[in-house]
Amino acid sequence: MSRTLTLNIFRYNPHDPASEPHMDAFRIEETESMTLFIALNRLREEQDASLIFDFCCRAGICGACAMVINGRPGLACHTKTRDLPEEITLLPLPVFKLVGDLSVDTGTWFRQMYQRTESWVHTTREFDPERPEERMENEVANKIYDLERCIECGCCVAACGTARMRPEFMAAAGLVRVARFVADPRDERTDEEYYDIIGSDEGIFGCMGLLACEDVCPKQLPLQDQLGFLRRKMGITAIKRLLPWTRKK
């Protein structure tokens, strides 16, 4: 027997001077294998065409449909309504700039983060298009690939207590991006250079270790392992900086 779902949805359009933040309640009949993505599209098509939310791939690849679902960040396209109670509350992700209703601007945040982390392979070797591609051990390649699977949905950022208190905090998304280049043998940066990027309260030392980021990651990235690895690596680098015989003359 199908249920009648009540969706309490945050509504506010910051571009409309007449708009005020409030919650709207919608009722919809649940169908078999319904996801929140399907429910929201039905609401927009059948009840309120002004409802603002993002979607693209509907397959958990683009990360566009991330929102706070009953207090927990997640993807609308991955969330089956059958796994939720009859009353569902949907809010936009915190930390990011609100576009309208359930839509936020994650692109600006991630673009700035990639600039801060210098998200490209740093090498002094000159590129030769005629040279065969450099070989890499499968174990190393798989580790890099595992860290490249981030879909930039912003769920880990929204779930992070530090990111909600400190706008400049890199959060797990930024820190794991650095870990990806630490693991890449083609990147020639030293621990000292990485320390200059993440060795602060805005970087790895600002992480409180609550690991809500890993709990909500839709791609199940190994955030706990990588954050612990970076904390140890940067901690050792900080100690070396204090020892007089390790300083460069």
Side-chain angles (χ1 to χ4, degrees):
M1 184 176 179
S2 64
R3 303 182 298 171
T4 299
L5 303 176
T6 300
L7 275 68
N8 300 304
I9 301 177
F10 176 82
R11 307 298 305 277
Y12 175 54
N13 185 351
H15 306 288
D16 180 1
S19 179
E20 294 288 343
H22 65 282
M23 302 293 291
D24 275 351
F26 299 89
R27 293 172 67 83
I28 188 172
E29 290 299 315
E30 187 177 32
T31 57
E32 185 177 359
S33 299
M34 175 183 274
T35 63
L36 280 178
F37 169 85
I38 294 173
L40 287 169
N41 272 280
R42 279 188 53 192
L43 290 179
R44 186 154 65 180
E45 292 171 0
E46 300 171 6
Q47 298 189 35
D48 190 343
S50 69
L51 180 61
I52 305 172
F53 64 95
D54 293 322
F55 71 92
C56 185
C57 72
R58 71 180 296 176
I61 297 173
C62 71
C65 65
M67 58 189 66
V68 179
I69 305 164
N70 282 355
R72 183 184 179 90
L75 300 181
C77 68
H78 265 195
T79 305
K80 296 287 184 67
T81 57
R82 70 187 179 203
D83 298 327
L84 300 171
E86 291 185 4
E87 188 160 347
I88 303 168
T89 299
L90 302 179
L91 301 168
L93 294 181
V95 180
F96 304 102
K97 181 181 177 181
L98 181 69
V99 175
D101 296 346
L102 300 176
S103 173
V104 296
D105 177 12
T106 56
T108 297
W109 190 94
F110 276 93
R111 183 165 56 252
Q112 292 174 347
M113 180 270 288
Y114 285 145
Q115 292 172 344
R116 289 178 63 191
T117 58
E118 299 184 12
S119 188
W120 59 87
V121 173
H122 289 57
T123 179
T124 56
R125 287 173 290 185
E126 187 174 337
F127 175 69
D128 181 1
E130 303 297 327
R131 186 175 57 199
E133 185 176 353
E134 186 175 344
R135 294 183 61 84
M136 184 181 295
E137 294 295 329
N138 285 340
E139 182 180 353
V140 176
N142 287 334
K143 183 176 182 180
I144 295 172
Y145 168 75
D146 202 27
L147 299 177
E148 280 280 11
R149 292 186 298 107
C150 173
I151 59 175
E152 301 181 4
C153 63
C155 286
C156 66
V157 182
C160 176
T162 305
R164 298 182 69 167
M165 293 187 295
R166 296 178 181 171
E168 298 302 315
F169 183 58
M170 291 181 179
L175 295 170
V176 171
R177 187 64 182 171
V178 171
R180 173 255 180 272
F181 289 99
V182 172
D184 195 327
R186 297 167 299 181
D187 195 299
E188 299 173 356
R189 280 177 285 185
T190 65
D191 290 348
E192 288 279 342
E193 290 173 304
Y194 284 120
Y195 186 91
D196 290 336
I197 296 174
I198 63 171
S200 66
D201 285 344
E202 283 71 42
I204 190 61
F205 299 128
C207 173
M208 296 188 289
L210 301 178
L211 298 177
C213 53
E214 182 163 289
D215 288 342
V216 303
C217 178
K219 307 308 286 186
Q220 299 180 328
L221 297 182
L223 303 181
Q224 177 179 356
D225 292 344
Q226 295 305 317
L227 293 176
F229 164 72
L230 289 177
R231 189 186 295 273
R232 290 192 300 272
K233 195 174 188 65
M234 293 300 102
I236 292 171
T237 303
I239 292 173
K240 288 181 177 179
R241 284 190 167 194
L242 296 175
L243 302 177
W245 57 86
T246 64
R247 297 174 187 167
K248 294 182 179 180
K249 296 182 180 180

